[in-house]
Amino acid sequence: MSAGRARRRGQRRRYDVLGLLVAAVIGFPVYWMVLTAFRPATEILRLPPEFWPSSPTLANFSRAMGTETFWANVRSSAVIGLGTVVVSLLVGTLAAFALARFRFAGRKAFVVVILTVQMIPLAALVIPVYLLLNDAGLTDSLVGVIAVYLVFTLPFTVWMLHGFIAAIPVELEEAAMVDGCGRLGAFVRVVLPLLAPGLVATSVFAMVQAWNEYVLVYVLLSTPEKQTLSIWLVSFQTSFGTDYGGLMAGATLTALPVVVFFLAVHRKIAAGLATGAVKG
C-alpha cells in the first residue's frame, strides 16, 4: 500500500515538473517582452543577453504613450472590443437558448452553418468582406469592423452558450413558470444567473479575438486615429530601423487590459469551461 502511494506521489511530482517546464516555455516570450520594455536602449541588443535589466527605465513606456495616435487607438480598440463582446453575448445568448430549448425547422442546418463558419480561414474572406462593406459605406468605420467581427465571434458564442444552457435543468424554468413567471421571467431570473460562468468564459474569447485581430482591421480602417492598437504597434518599425524598446513597451500596454480582465474573471472561466465540457 505504501509502495503504491509512493509511486503515485512520484508520478504526480513528475507531472508537476513537466507542467512547470511547459509553463516556462510558453511564458518565456512574454517575460522577455516585458523585460525588454524596461531595458534602456543600450542594453536591448547587448550580447550575451542579461535576464534582468541592470538599469530599469520607464522611458520606453513614456515614449510609446506619447505617440500621436496612442490614446485614439486605445479608444478604437476599446469600442471595437466592447462592442463586439456586448452584441455577441446579447444575440448569441438568445440564439443559444432557442437552440438548446426549442425544436424548430432547420435546427440541424443552423448547427451545420455555425460549425462551418468557424472552419473558414479569416484571410480568405478579406477581399469579399471589404467589397461588401464598401458597397454598404462602412469601410473606415468602427461599426463596420464590429459587424465583421460578429461574423466570426457569434458562431463560437452560440455554440459555447448552447452547451451551458443545455446543462441547466429545464425543470428549474418549469418550476419558475409554475410559480408565476412567464418564459421571459424564467429566462431572466433562473437561466441568466446560472449562465454567468458561461457568459464570462465566452466574453473572454470574443474580447481576445477582437482585441488582437490584425488583418481585417488593417484592411478596413485607413484613418490612423481610427485604427486599433494592433496596427499602432507597426509604427515602431520605420525605414531607419525598429524601436525595440518602444515596440515591447507598446506590446506590454496592449496586452495589459486583456490580462487584467482575464485575472479578474479566471475563476468563472474555469467553472464555465468545466460546465461546458460536461454537456454539449
Side-chain angles (χ1 to χ4, degrees), residues 147-164:
V148 173
Y149 283 177
L150 288 175
V151 174
F152 302 101
T153 57
L154 260 179
F156 182 84
T157 301
V158 173
W159 188 247
M160 282 281 289
L161 293 179
H162 159 260
F164 290 117

Side-chain angles (χ1 to χ4, degrees), residues 108-179:
K108 290 185 178 180
F110 181 62
V111 173
V112 171
V113 169
I114 288 176
L115 297 176
T116 303
V117 168
Q118 295 180 71
M119 299 176 187
I120 300 175
L122 185 63
L125 299 177
V126 171
I127 294 177
V129 164
Y130 178 83
L131 295 176
L132 186 64
L133 288 185
N134 191 44
D135 291 341
L138 289 176
T139 52
D140 201 23
S141 163
L142 300 187
V143 175
V145 175
I146 293 173
V148 173
Y149 283 177
L150 288 175
V151 174
F152 302 101
T153 57
L154 260 179
F156 182 84
T157 301
V158 173
W159 188 247
M160 282 281 289
L161 293 179
H162 159 260
F164 290 117
I165 294 174
I168 299 174
V170 69
E171 289 79 7
L172 296 177
E173 296 173 56
E174 292 173 349
M177 287 190 282
V178 169
D179 288 341

